Amino acid sequence: GAVVSQHPSWVICKSGTSVKIECRSLDFQATTMFWYRQFPKQSLMLMATSNEGSKATYEQGVEKDKFLINHASLTLSTLTVTSAHPEDSSFYICSASRPGTGNTIYFGEGSWLTVV
Amino acid sequence: AQSVTQLDSHVSVSEGTPVLLRCNYSSSYSPSLFWYVQHPNKGLQLLLKYTSAATLVKGINGFEAEFKKSETSFHLTKPSAHMSDAAEYFCVAAGSSNTGKLIFGQGTTLQVKP
């Protein structure tokens, strides 16, 4: 079964509004989670590293104020796309490393964001 | 710097024939390597992983991969392709600092023809 869960799977929002995507580790604690963005027919692009209880670490070129990450608990990280625009439409995927699995990363099912 | 290169962006095979998806890595140390599969509009599913134990790694759905240090390769194979294997495949290396950061290959689209 799923080890990392994302919600929602699909979301449509109006341009200028904000949308939140949740990433949960289902039966383990994840001090670190990762957020990726994937454009059609392309590989995953790491956006940021979400750290429980501290600020996220963003990759170069990713706007911190646009993509707000909150890792308030050991099983939940959220990505909020603020003031969304059509160019933010994409597939967003989170991941987490499950302890005791030898450095194995598990991915969420992904969330499709469409900004209209 | 670490890097992962998938040598083919697109592979097409007939159902029932072998599958070979090629991956080369560049690293100053022996990395942890993974193959993930992504079906359309879905997240990534782990197929198999190499973490410095046996060099021949068996995964789910009949896939396996062999770590060859001399060739810096980690090619994915399957003896007989099934229609359901059609998907995007990613070869991935774990970052050196063991932080959970991953280095992705560009992906290979596997097409399976009936």
Side-chain angles (χ1 to χ4, degrees):
Chain A
V3 176
V4 175
S5 177
Q6 274 183 250
H7 178 81
S9 300
W10 303 82
V11 58
I12 300 174
C13 70
K14 289 185 176 181
S15 187
T17 63
S18 296
V19 61
K20 182 186 290 186
I21 301 170
E22 295 183 344
C23 178
R24 293 182 184 274
S25 55
L26 295 183
D27 60 355
F28 66 98
Q29 295 181 334
T31 56
T32 304
M33 292 183 175
F34 300 88
W35 286 97
Y36 295 85
R37 183 173 182 176
Q38 185 180 32
F39 292 102
K41 305 294 185 183
Q42 294 188 25
S43 188
L44 279 68
M45 179 190 77
L46 179 64
M47 298 175 66
T49 302
S50 174
N51 304 298
E52 189 270 334
S54 65
K55 290 183 179 180
T57 305
Y58 290 82
E59 296 300 303
Q60 192 172 10
V62 178
E63 299 176 61
K64 301 178 183 182
D65 295 332
K66 177 125 186 98
F67 298 100
L68 299 180
I69 291 173
N70 185 3
H71 196 149
S73 78
L74 286 170
T75 59
L76 175 64
S77 174
T78 60
L79 168 68
T80 301
V81 183
T82 63
S83 187
H85 288 93
E87 57 265 31
D88 298 326
S89 300
S90 189
F91 193 52
Y92 294 87
I93 307 177
C94 70
S95 71
S97 176
R98 185 175 189 177
T101 61
N103 210 25
T104 300
I105 304 292
Y106 291 91
F107 288 85
E109 307 95 327
S111 299
W112 270 111
L113 169 63
T114 301
V115 184
V116 298
Chain B
Q2 252 187 319
S3 68
V4 176
T5 303
Q6 290 181 243
L7 300 170
D8 307 292
S9 60
H10 189 99
V11 170
S12 182
V13 302
S14 297
E15 189 176 21
T17 64
V19 176
L20 170 63
L21 304 183
R22 299 182 295 166
C23 173
N24 285 101
Y25 69 92
S26 173
S27 177
S28 58
Y29 62 97
S30 187
S32 295
L33 295 166
F34 309 83
W35 275 99
Y36 287 88
V37 60
Q38 184 181 32
H39 288 91
N41 302 319
K42 298 290 186 181
L44 275 68
Q45 181 185 19
L46 179 67
L47 281 178
L48 49 80
K49 65 178 180 180
Y50 166 76
T51 54
S52 75
T55 56
L56 182 61
V57 182
K58 294 189 183 297
I60 62 172
N61 300 337
F63 285 95
E64 62 182 39
E66 185 171 8
F67 175 76
K68 292 186 177 180
K69 187 174 182 178
S70 61
E71 299 176 9
T72 61
S73 69
F74 190 57
H75 300 335
L76 181 71
T77 60
K78 182 173 180 177
S80 177
H82 191 273
M83 295 297 292
S84 60
D85 294 328
E88 189 78 12
Y89 291 80
F90 292 99
C91 182
V92 181
S96 59
S97 57
N98 198 31
T99 59
K101 269 193 176 182
L102 299 177
I103 295 105
F104 280 82
Q106 301 89 331
T108 299
T109 302
L110 176 63
Q111 179 187 22
V112 182
K113 297 177 290 186

